[in-house]
Amino acid sequence: MPRSLPATRQPVFWAALAFAAGILLGAYAWRPSLWWTAAAAAFLGAAAYFLGRRLAAAVALALGTLVCVGALSFELEGAAGAPNELAAFCERGPVTVTGYLLRDGTLREGRFGSPQQRIDLAAESAAYEPGRVAPVAGGIRLTIYHAAKDAESGGPPVVFLYGQRIRLRARLRLPRNYGNPGAMDTRGYLRRQGIDALGSARVAEVELLDGRGGSRAGAWIAAVRRSLLAQMSLLWGPRDAPILTAMLIGEASLIDRETRQNFQRTGTYHILVVSGMNVGLMAFPVFWVLRRLRLGEGVTTIVTMLVTGAYTLLTDLGSPVLRATFMLWIYLLARLLYRDSRAPLNALGIAALALLVLDPRALFDPSFQMTFIAVLAIGGIGMPLLERSLERYRRALLFLESTDYELQLEPRLAQWRLDVRLLAGRLAYFLPGGKREQVALWMVAAAAGAVVATGEVLLIAALMQMAMVAPMAVYAHRAALLTVPSNSVVVPLTAVLTPMAMLAVLLSYLSRVLAWLPASLTTLSLHGITGSVRLLGGIGASGLRVATPTAAALLAFGAAFALAMIAARRRRVLAAAGLAAMLAASAWIALVPPTPQLRPGMLEVTALDVGQGDSLLVVSPQGRTLLVDAGGLTGQPRSNFDLGEDVVSPYLWSRGLVHLDAVAVSHAHADHIGGMRAVIANFHPRELWISVRPQSAELAALLAEARRQAMEIKEFRAGARFDFGGAGVEVLAPPPDWTPGRRPQNNDTLVLKLSYGGAAALLEGDAEKRIERLMAANGDARADLLKVGHHGSATSSTAEFLSAVRPLYAVISVGAHNPFGYPRQEVLARLGGSGVATFRTDAHGAVTFYLDGRGVEPRLPGR
């Protein structure tokens, strides 16, 4: 068995790390391009000088050269970025766009139950007025709304296909990030997919044009993909086909949120979406069969690369899978050149270096980071550990009938072979037939091999759980505690499912009868996977949510990871110490919550950017926390996007919060209550504050969830007063005699006045003129800070009410370019005429106000 080489014998791996360090330096320590060029030249000259004198110094200086080149590449890539030609046509009303489809449209249930279709369009031209057409280039992601009156017949809606040229009248907008710390970089995510603008249109406004766009190869791939989806639907039906299409070719549009969350909770989400593991599972059986056919290493490698490349094109998932395939190709080529442990890390280094040279900003892509960390953990830690432990026992099972083979093995492995033969000899007494000795030996060897393989799976699963704790905490705020048992079941089943499903689909083109057996095996494997995930995902400890780790915790994790990599090639005691350090760092991130970012002795009110909705975080002077509303999407009850999970919770985690003392819903409209169930599930508050209870299915579901979690439900009306962690709380609305209607109304709003010393904040929710008149008449509406009612609508913020409140500051929670035209100009004029300094979440992002008992201090994000 070849001996593992020291870490210094992986030159390309260290070169890739140096180049990546340079990119980070260029991103966070800007210097002119000429500065980096001069530094690179100086380092290179010094490296050349020391090359024949001091090799260690020359290597260090060469790595310094790569650091400078990495920083320079980041600077040049940013300077050469192409301008967004579509920006001139965004946010300015309807525009006529002509272009062709980049991929087939995906149809799903949309707003108010009517179907909607998502298409990606390569724009060719755009025009505001007929006859004034301007050529334009860029990608547009469009939502096409279908309605009953748009259809000419009762048939299904027409799905647009790759390459079709269309002209449509649409409203375009630039991608926008939610303006809260911790928010996802939606703009960057779409840019990496080639999307420069978003838009929407009715299907009646879409016109099919003559001719086609795109390429012949793209059209062929789209047709093959379309055919595969149809065959999979026929083979597995509406129950199983959606999950299989997601797992095999990346079509995840029909996967419901609950299924996604169960896979996330159990640490098996990589199974549900096409990832690097799927590429590996596709490559392994092809590689294995070709080797058994004795076609030679070169032919086997090339054919495996071609098959995985074709599979990657069919998934149509872009950079993440392309990166995984590229890394696999590099590894396959590297193993032709190396026969020792240099291959995995050098292959990873070559792939990472090539990808970063082509796109330096890929370093900041979460999928790139996770792929790199996963492969690094397996190649840099897992494989050396296996080579020194279980892999030796696997090799010791070869040629069991040969006693000469034992002479080249160490004593404990030779004893292992003797024990296996002894057990086989005992088993042979109970078997019939003339070759019972050979059969018994085969059975025992197979069982021993299965035990070794199980140990390998458990070791890699445990290692992957530790390795992925940091990125999962940063990007998903999850610590999947059941990753090891989940993957121990799911990964082997997926290894059966992937080749069987592909074989079934291929055979189905010849005969459904031929496809029956592999399709049945696929179904059994799938049900084993989904059943295990559903069972384990339902365990309360499976989905531990964690706050954003501190810089110290991440640095400790990085140091422990590096130590584990170095120690994995050293003595067993050192290897165990490295794993123990990695386990301790992972436990720190997963189990030790960071100190919340709070200002003691202050009453804090933060208006979060949740688009067209409301969500406010209140922190009392004594550190008690209250969330008032959690945003929500109006008219899209089945959307996979949840404001509470995807926007509000990440902000709270970015503040180091893992628990809330109380939550409140002002009233039962979706843009206030929609995200609250996710917040309750993530932060487990003790109390839920509400006002009245109209007939609302969403409110009823929220109350049921609160009871399930043993929360205390408190219903308030005007006149209630109490202390909340050193802050006085006074309820100003709804009136004690308020009777809710059959549907939720704006005037159902729970209006809270928060006081600390001589300063106060009034949280008006969506209260309208009627409630405002009552509050003004009662004479207790005076406040320094006003959360403006109903998103700045003309239904609220009357002159009479503003005169009674006399605020110094106001904040409007409103969505950018919302279809309602909020905030209204007359409301802004009234606020300005009253001398109120007004902030808006659509323009400023999350806005924080600190009340110190004497006055109010506003604070914007990043200041």
Side-chain angles (χ1 to χ4, degrees):
M1 182 180 126
R3 184 185 173 201
S4 297
L5 294 175
T8 52
R9 297 293 297 275
Q10 291 98 28
V12 187
F13 172 74
W14 295 109
L17 287 184
F19 193 84
I23 293 173
L24 289 174
L25 196 61
Y28 296 107
W30 183 88
R31 293 291 185 277
S33 299
L34 185 60
W35 195 96
W36 293 119
T37 304
F43 272 107
L44 184 61
Y49 174 79
F50 282 104
L51 185 60
R53 297 171 173 83
R54 293 182 178 271
L55 184 59
V59 170
L61 290 167
L63 293 177
T65 304
L66 285 172
V67 170
C68 296
V69 172
L72 178 64
S73 70
F74 181 85
E75 295 284 350
L76 295 177
E77 196 272 344
N84 186 351
E85 298 181 18
L86 289 167
F89 297 91
C90 294
E91 330 290 1
R92 294 178 56 187
V95 58
T96 300
V97 179
T98 301
Y100 64 89
L101 269 71
L102 293 168
R103 55 185 53 85
D104 291 355
T106 55
L107 196 66
R108 67 190 75 184
E109 185 176 342
R111 181 171 294 182
F112 307 115
S114 60
Q116 68 182 34
Q117 187 174 169
R118 193 187 81 177
I119 63 173
D120 288 350
L121 191 73
E124 298 172 343
S125 65
Y128 279 117
E129 301 175 11
R132 301 186 64 179
V133 179
V136 66
I140 308 175
R141 179 157 293 170
L142 290 158
T143 300
I144 308 297
Y145 294 101
H146 297 253
K149 62 181 180 181
D150 296 325
E152 297 180 357
S153 65
V158 175
V159 177
F160 298 103
L161 304 178
Y162 171 88
Q164 287 182 331
R165 296 185 67 249
I166 61 174
R167 180 186 297 123
L168 73 161
R169 189 81 168 160
R171 292 180 178 271
L172 301 183
R173 65 185 186 278
L174 292 173
R176 179 180 179 273
N177 294 339
Y178 285 94
N180 310 311
M184 174 184 172
D185 182 13
T186 305
R187 214 167 21 231
Y189 171 75
L190 291 173
R191 189 186 304 117
R192 288 190 291 272
Q193 297 184 14
I195 302 300
D196 302 300
L198 304 174
S200 60
R202 290 176 56 237
V203 69
E205 298 177 308
V206 180
E207 175 189 0
L208 281 174
L209 303 177
D210 294 333
R212 296 188 63 84
S215 64
R216 290 186 178 180
W220 182 84
I221 291 171
V224 172
R225 180 181 169 87
R226 203 178 306 133
S227 176
L228 290 174
L229 289 171
Q231 289 298 114
M232 294 173 74
S233 180
L234 288 174
L235 283 171
W236 289 288
R239 177 189 173 189
D240 294 334
I243 298 181
L244 281 171
T245 55
M247 294 173 65
L248 297 177
I249 58 176
E251 182 52 66
S253 60
L254 298 178
I255 302 296
D256 61 86
R257 189 176 186 93
E258 182 180 359
T259 300
R260 292 174 187 267
Q261 289 182 338
N262 281 334
F263 276 88
Q264 290 170 346
R265 290 189 192 104
T266 55
T268 55
Y269 190 64
H270 56 93
I271 300 294
L272 186 60
V273 295
V274 172
S275 62
M277 196 197 75
N278 299 72
V279 176
L281 291 176
M282 175 59 60
F284 175 76
V286 174
F287 191 84
W288 185 86
V289 169
L290 294 175
R291 290 198 69 182
R292 292 301 178 273
L293 295 176
R294 303 183 183 277
L295 295 181
E297 291 291 328
V299 173
T300 297
T301 298
I302 297 301
V303 173
T304 303
M305 292 172 62
L306 291 175
V307 171
T308 53
Y311 174 66
T312 300
L313 291 175
L314 288 175
T315 63
D316 194 29
L317 287 183
S319 298
V321 179
L322 286 174
R323 279 195 288 265
T325 303
F326 185 60
M327 287 185 180
L328 173 68
W329 286 1
I330 295 295
Y331 174 75
L332 290 173
L333 291 174
R335 69 178 301 279
L336 291 177
L337 304 176
Y338 299 106
R339 297 296 179 184
D340 53 43
S341 63
R342 289 178 296 177
L345 292 185
N346 268 331
L348 177 61
I350 294 170
L353 188 60
L355 291 168
L356 292 176
V357 168
L358 292 173
D359 181 14
R361 294 183 185 273
L363 181 64
F364 304 97
D365 185 350
S367 67
F368 176 88
Q369 296 175 16
M370 291 187 180
T371 301
F372 185 85
I373 290 172
V375 178
L376 184 59
I378 294 173
I381 305 175
M383 291 184 66
L385 290 177
L386 289 176
E387 286 175 359
R388 300 174 55 185
S389 56
L390 294 173
E391 185 63 23
R392 296 184 178 184
Y393 286 90
R394 179 191 293 278
R395 293 176 181 175
L397 292 174
L398 298 174
F399 315 115
L400 276 174
E401 295 181 352
S402 171
T403 55
D404 293 338
Y405 185 72
E406 294 162 6
L407 298 177
Q408 56 184 308
L409 299 176
E410 56 186 287
R412 60 176 178 171
L413 297 180
Q415 183 62 49
W416 159 258
R417 289 170 57 87
L418 291 174
D419 292 339
V420 169
R421 282 205 298 268
L422 178 62
L423 185 58
R426 296 293 178 89
L427 179 62
Y429 287 113
F430 302 97
L431 297 178
K435 295 184 178 181
R436 56 185 182 179
E437 290 81 8
Q438 291 88 338
V439 173
L441 190 61
W442 178 87
M443 293 174 62
V444 174
V451 171
V452 172
T454 302
E456 291 176 337
V457 169
L458 291 174
L459 176 61
I460 294 298
L463 180 62
M464 289 300 296
Q465 177 164 349
M466 290 189 290
M468 299 306 292
V469 160
M472 288 297 291
V474 171
Y475 297 114
H477 298 284
R478 290 185 181 275
L481 301 182
L482 299 180
T483 294
V484 174
S486 299
N487 281 284
S488 298
V489 175
V490 168
V491 171
L493 288 175
T494 306
V496 175
L497 180 146
T498 301
M500 287 296 102
M502 289 299 182
L503 180 61
V505 171
L506 293 176
L507 291 177
S508 69
Y509 285 100
L510 301 176
S511 167
R512 293 283 297 276
V513 175
L514 294 176
W516 178 84
L517 180 58
S520 300
L521 293 174
T522 300
T523 302
L524 289 174
S525 301
L526 177 65
H527 290 174
I529 292 171
T530 54
S532 301
V533 167
R534 193 180 305 113
L535 176 65
L536 295 173
I539 298 175
S542 64
L544 180 66
R545 309 308 299 267
V546 297
T548 303
T550 62
L554 292 176
L555 287 174
F557 177 83
F561 198 115
L563 176 62
M565 278 188 58
I566 296 171
R569 293 170 170 78
R570 302 297 189 268
R571 291 184 300 173
R572 288 186 177 87
V573 174
L574 294 177
L579 289 179
M582 194 170 171
L583 177 62
S586 301
W588 180 4
I589 292 174
L591 303 177
V592 181
T595 302
Q597 300 173 23
L598 307 177
R599 290 179 64 172
M602 295 275 191
L603 173 61
E604 174 193 334
V605 178
T606 297
L608 278 65
D609 177 13
V610 290
Q612 188 59 30
D614 268 17
S615 185
L616 299 107
L617 174 65
V618 176
V619 183
S620 78
Q622 297 174 6
R624 297 193 68 190
T625 50
L626 163 72
L627 185 77
V628 181
D629 294 331
L633 299 177
T634 303
Q636 299 187 54
R638 299 189 182 183
S639 172
N640 279 327
F641 187 77
D642 186 320
L643 265 295
E645 171 68 28
D646 303 319
V647 177
V648 177
S649 292
Y651 170 76
L652 298 177
W653 284 317
S654 77
R655 294 280 302 269
L657 295 171
V658 293
H659 169 73
L660 292 171
D661 293 295
V663 293
V665 288
S666 60
H667 62 298
H669 278 161
D671 58 334
H672 294 251
I673 196 176
M676 190 58 78
R677 290 182 67 185
V679 170
I680 289 175
N682 292 335
F683 295 91
H684 310 288
R686 288 189 289 268
E687 299 177 359
L688 170 61
W689 302 356
I690 63 173
S691 60
V692 296
R693 307 189 190 193
Q695 297 180 20
S696 164
E698 200 159 9
L699 178 60
L702 179 65
L703 294 176
E705 177 67 16
R707 295 189 189 97
R708 191 181 69 83
Q709 299 212 23
M711 294 176 62
E712 182 180 0
I713 300 172
K714 295 184 175 181
E715 185 173 328
F716 294 113
R717 301 291 181 102
R721 298 171 184 266
F722 54 94
D723 178 82
F724 182 75
V729 180
E730 182 180 357
V731 181
L732 302 187
D737 58 351
W738 186 262
T739 302
R742 297 186 61 184
R743 293 182 178 181
Q745 305 174 50
N746 287 334
N747 281 331
D748 293 338
T749 293
L750 178 68
V751 179
L752 302 176
K753 180 179 178 180
L754 310 173
S755 303
Y756 178 51
L762 181 61
L763 312 184
E764 195 186 354
D766 275 2
E768 297 180 336
K769 296 176 183 178
R770 179 180 175 185
I771 295 298
E772 287 186 345
R773 283 195 296 267
L774 293 175
M775 291 191 291
N778 289 337
D780 54 3
R782 171 73 183 93
D784 302 279
L785 169 65
L786 172 66
K787 203 295 293 184
V788 174
H790 199 198
H791 320 292
S793 164
T795 62
S796 309
S797 305
T798 63
E800 175 189 6
F801 179 68
L802 293 178
S803 178
V805 178
R806 290 178 290 141
L808 300 175
Y809 298 95
V811 60
I812 303 174
S813 185
V814 64
H817 307 288
N818 64 83
F820 311 106
Y822 299 157
R824 294 292 188 182
Q825 288 301 316
E826 57 267 36
V827 172
L828 295 175
R830 282 199 292 270
L831 289 166
S834 301
V836 181
T838 302
F839 297 85
R840 298 166 45 169
T841 57
D842 62 334
H844 301 107
V847 186
T848 298
F849 300 89
Y850 293 106
L851 288 70
D852 62 2
R854 296 180 299 275
V856 181
E857 175 194 355
R859 183 68 61 87
L860 296 178
R863 297 186 182 179

